[in-house]
Amino acid sequence: QVQLVESGGGLVQAGGSLRLSCAASGRTFSSYNMGWFRQAPGKERELVAAIWRSGSSTYYADSVKGRFTLSRDNAKNTVYLQMDSLKPEDTAVYYCAADVRHLIATRPYEYDYWGQGTQVTVSS
């Protein structure tokens, strides 16, 4: 079993920054692909960014490219999402997720474990 705990959400003005953290426990962290998803009211959950097991490859949604940076620290069992130049449309609940089965994973159903979510609100 893998437990994921997110932190770092909050309220920020447009153009500001936040850093989300996701701490994992349970199995060997370095064997997971890690993803950050977000879900706004009335919308489907979407993949924002993902980082693969080795940490050498990352994926970003087009909407966040150049503004968000995902990194992992396997020694601390933690993945970070640095969010800069935030926009009101980034407002959502952000979820950390772990995939232990696939080479890469971009769909919610491919992820096995989920955190409880953290609210990010960007005011205009």
Side-chain angles (χ1 to χ4, degrees):
Q1 190 71 19
V2 177
Q3 293 81 42
L4 303 174
V5 179
E6 302 107 332
S7 61
L11 173 64
V12 64
Q13 289 188 332
S17 298
L18 284 172
R19 188 175 84 153
L20 305 183
S21 299
C22 174
S25 61
R27 296 179 58 179
T28 305
F29 180 72
S30 61
S31 68
Y32 322 151
N33 292 326
M34 297 298 297
W36 280 99
F37 289 78
R38 68 186 180 188
Q39 188 165 21
K43 295 189 177 181
E44 293 186 354
R45 190 168 297 192
E46 63 172 348
L47 180 63
V48 173
I51 188 165
W52 313 131
R53 291 178 178 82
S54 66
S56 62
S57 296
T58 53
Y59 163 91
Y60 295 96
D62 288 342
S63 58
V64 306
K65 281 181 181 176
R67 301 188 297 120
F68 290 12
T69 304
L70 182 60
S71 61
R72 68 190 298 164
D73 185 337
N74 288 341
K76 295 183 177 180
N77 284 11
T78 302
V79 63
Y80 305 97
L81 183 66
Q82 178 66 40
M83 305 187 295
D84 298 317
S85 302
L86 282 161
K87 304 175 181 180
E89 51 263 44
D90 294 318
T91 295
V93 177
Y94 283 70
Y95 297 91
C96 174
D99 159 50
V100 300
R101 297 177 287 127
H102 302 90
L103 184 61
I104 59 174
T106 60
R107 307 290 185 178
Y109 63 81
E110 294 175 314
Y111 285 78
D112 305 287
Y113 303 100
W114 292 83
Q116 79 286 355
T118 186
Q119 177 70 47
V120 171
T121 303
V122 184
S123 63
S124 57

